Amino acid sequence: MIDQARIDTLRAAPVADGLNLIGGHRVAAASGATLDTISPIDGTVLARIAASAAQDVDRAVAAARKAFDSWSDMAPMARGRILQRIGDAIAADAGTLAVLGVRDNGTEIAMAYKAEPMSAAATFRYYGELCGKDYGQIAPTAPGALGLVHHEPVGVVGAIVPWNFPLMIAAWKVAAALAAGNTVVLKPAEVASLSLLRLGDMAQEAGLPAGVLNIVTGTGAAAGDALARHMDVDVLAFTGSGPVGRKLLKASAQSNLKRVYLELGGKSPCVVFADADLPAAAKAVAGGIFRDSGQVCIAAARVMVERSVHAEFVTLLVQAAEAMRVGDPLDLSTQAGAIASEVQMHKILTACRDAEAAGADLRTGGRQIHTDTGGYYISPTIFDNAPQNSALVQEEIFGPVLAAQPFDTEDQAVAMANGTSYGLAAGVFTRDVSRAHRMVGRLRAGVVHVNTYGGADITVPLGGHGQSGNGHDKSPHALDKFRNLKTAWIAL
Ligand code: NAD
């Protein structure tokens, strides 16, 4: 773990302007254009990054294509050793990476250190290890023929990632794609590119050949769209919002029909039954929505509570919300840091006003705090009696806003929990083991947590049901996105 003295040293370190990584070289955007990176901690400019456009993406894709043959021909275990060295390098420099990332996106450091560099390190090591363990298959054909099922890399993978956990999410895509023998063009979010640019340097230093990983920064509308429409990108792996996911599917349809994998948003429900350990459940739900100020794809944004304990449980939640230490994300004791950008902060505050207008009862929070810092902070917010058809219940806010609702029966709780277009994550709190198993089956979600919320490691898949996306990150299943199956049919 990192200590406060080291954080305080690192927080004052100058940050170099970011350049693209293309074919092993650091280069500015061809136009020379740049974007300012604003720190949400205090609203100041941290650095400038390249504002890339189509021609920069063209160069990056060409570099990735050029590097593909030798990378995909390399012995899998040799590829794996390089990935493991990248994981080791990330772990060795975790403090620097974590503080740089927090200065860029505002996640509280205690969470960021584990969820960003340490998780990315584990991911590179995991997929590095898998490289020598990924077997093809022999099909159970009728006699007279041998059917072999080979795994082949797809070619060039485009990866577009969001700002909330850039290192963790990019590692899920990049490490799996590289392990499967592909080369990659990565487009970080314009709000949080700096730690990923540093990752690019580390990958080169760890021996990743030039062009195998290319990083192009810039806006979604320019750099992201160019990658999505590129005729020489074979697979697009995306994490971000639903509206952008739809644009990517359209871009694929209008270009080369590249496969598009979407990890999108959610409005994840927790269902709390009267027999649950209520104080423990309240702690888990509050942590599930308020950590990282709710900017977590699986944030526990809704809670349904059995009516007989509803009032008591909401009171426990309000107490937990009001006890949370929200503030300077580079203080190790902070439990919820900044909102990543001013735009996002105003979206959240507008959603709170709309929720009140729709008839939900504001129990705590709902306002900007620490305005004297120049940064972007919102108090943990709880609405009770949220109308099921309101935007508060139906739409992702991506902020520290919890919607509570009472329920009377298990069937009703399931209908309410499943009654949105999303299906990313859910939680169930009960001491009844039969009901817990039943609820895992009944809730529409890619992951259901029981008597906890938000735990996971690299060994289990994460992916959405419904409009929360398709495909999975993490675990050996993630490799499927990045490879083609090829059958060899051999007459015997
Ligand atoms: P976003 O969709 O606005 O942006 C994500 C990325 O897409 C960024 O790199 C952005 O530059 C790029 N982009 C934007 N417009 C584009 C376009 N027209 N073409 C190509 N690329 C474009 O999302 P965000 O605000 O950065 O992140 C928040 C969203 O991400 C939330 O909806 C959240 O739930 C989701 N998310 C999902 C997961 C998951 O695993 N399911 C994880 C984290 C975040």
Side-chain angles (χ1 to χ4, degrees):
M1 190 53 194
I2 190 166
D3 63 38
Q4 193 62 51
R6 173 121 174 90
I7 294 169
D8 291 340
T9 306
L10 290 168
R11 76 182 296 159
V15 180
D17 288 344
L19 293 170
N20 287 334
L21 176 64
I22 298 180
H25 301 290
R26 285 287 173 194
V27 288
S31 67
T34 59
L35 292 171
D36 284 344
T37 290
I38 311 285
S39 176
I41 298 176
D42 55 11
T44 57
V45 175
L46 199 52
R48 289 178 307 174
I49 55 170
S52 308
Q55 55 183 319
D56 305 297
V57 171
D58 280 347
R59 287 180 193 172
V61 173
R65 180 61 63 190
K66 190 170 164 211
F68 174 71
D69 284 348
S70 58
W71 179 248
S72 58
D73 279 350
M74 191 183 279
M77 284 177 67
R79 281 206 299 268
R81 279 193 292 277
I82 294 174
L83 296 187
Q84 291 195 40
R85 283 205 297 273
I86 296 173
D88 294 345
I90 294 170
D93 213 7
T96 312
L97 276 167
V99 172
L100 180 62
V102 170
R103 292 171 76 187
D104 210 1
N105 77 353
T107 303
E108 60 276 8
I109 185 78
M111 178 191 239
Y113 184 81
K114 284 188 237 161
E116 281 280 274
M118 295 316 288
S119 152
T123 299
F124 273 94
R125 287 167 170 163
Y126 180 83
Y127 285 106
E129 285 171 13
L130 268 188
C131 279
K133 299 174 179 144
D134 183 33
Y135 294 82
Q137 292 172 318
I138 299 174
T141 58
L146 176 62
L148 301 179
V149 183
H150 298 277
H151 294 150
E152 290 191 342
V154 292
V156 175
V157 170
I160 301 179
V161 296
W163 41 256
N164 57 341
F165 293 101
L167 275 174
M168 175 176 80
I169 294 171
W172 290 345
K173 299 181 193 311
V174 171
L178 297 181
N182 305 282
T183 54
V184 175
V185 177
L186 171 66
K187 210 296 281 174
E190 52 273 45
V191 173
S193 298
L194 298 174
S195 57
L196 286 177
L197 291 171
R198 178 73 193 111
L199 170 69
D201 292 335
M202 291 175 154
Q204 305 269 111
E205 287 155 20
L208 194 71
V212 172
L213 172 62
N214 306 276
I215 305 176
V216 181
T217 60
T219 65
D225 184 66
L227 193 58
R229 291 180 184 280
H230 206 285
M231 294 300 289
D232 203 26
V233 169
D234 300 288
V235 160
L236 196 61
F238 172 74
T239 295
S241 62
V244 174
R246 288 171 197 274
K247 287 185 188 173
L248 302 184
L249 290 172
K250 203 167 163 188
S252 165
Q254 291 172 341
S255 57
N256 64 343
L257 292 175
K258 58 180 71 61
R259 296 200 322 242
V260 179
Y261 293 103
L262 304 174
E263 302 288 336
L264 304 176
K267 194 77 190 183
S268 298
C270 285
V271 180
V272 180
F273 289 94
D275 70 342
D277 176 341
L278 297 184
K283 197 171 164 215
V285 173
I289 179 62
F290 297 132
R291 281 186 310 161
D292 197 18
S293 291
Q295 301 162 103
V296 179
C297 57
I298 62 163
R302 297 184 289 147
V303 63
M304 276 124 263
V305 190
E306 196 163 351
R307 196 176 298 275
S308 60
V309 296
H310 179 80
E312 178 189 351
F313 192 75
V314 173
T315 300
L316 287 171
L317 285 172
V318 169
Q319 285 166 356
E322 292 178 350
M324 273 198 99
R325 287 185 297 274
V326 184
D328 178 6
L330 286 171
D331 183 328
L332 268 173
S333 69
T334 292
Q335 294 170 300
I339 306 299
S341 70
E342 192 172 10
V343 172
Q344 181 66 13
M345 179 180 70
H346 287 301
K347 273 191 200 163
I348 298 167
L349 293 170
T350 302
C352 290
R353 299 293 79 79
D354 291 348
E356 280 189 278
D361 303 330
L362 178 63
R363 292 290 307 270
T364 188
R367 61 198 173 82
Q368 185 182 357
I369 53 174
H370 305 318
T371 46
D372 55 318
T373 61
Y376 319 127
Y377 302 89
I378 294 181
S379 48
T381 303
I382 298 176
F383 285 97
D384 198 2
N385 301 313
Q388 179 70 18
N389 60 0
S390 64
L392 174 63
V393 168
Q394 297 295 327
E395 304 294 328
E396 181 181 51
I397 295 175
F398 218 55
V401 182
L402 175 64
Q405 299 172 291
F407 72 84
D408 293 302
T409 64
E410 183 181 311
D411 285 350
Q412 190 190 7
V414 169
M416 289 162 76
N418 289 346
T420 74
S421 61
Y422 297 110
L424 189 56
V428 179
F429 294 85
T430 178
R431 287 190 167 99
D432 178 339
V433 72
S434 304
R435 177 157 58 195
H437 280 288
R438 200 165 58 236
M439 289 295 286
V440 169
R442 296 187 77 188
L443 291 172
R444 183 172 77 158
V447 53
V448 181
H449 306 90
V450 178
N451 293 329
T452 184
Y453 197 84
D457 65 19
I458 186 65
T459 64
V460 289
L462 174 67
H465 297 188
Q467 292 185 29
S468 288
N470 59 40
H472 288 86
D473 278 328
K474 303 166 58 193
S475 84
H477 296 286
L479 294 173
D480 293 342
K481 294 189 296 194
F482 302 119
R483 58 194 185 190
N484 290 323
L485 296 181
K486 179 182 276 180
T487 295
W489 185 263
I490 301 166
L492 296 178

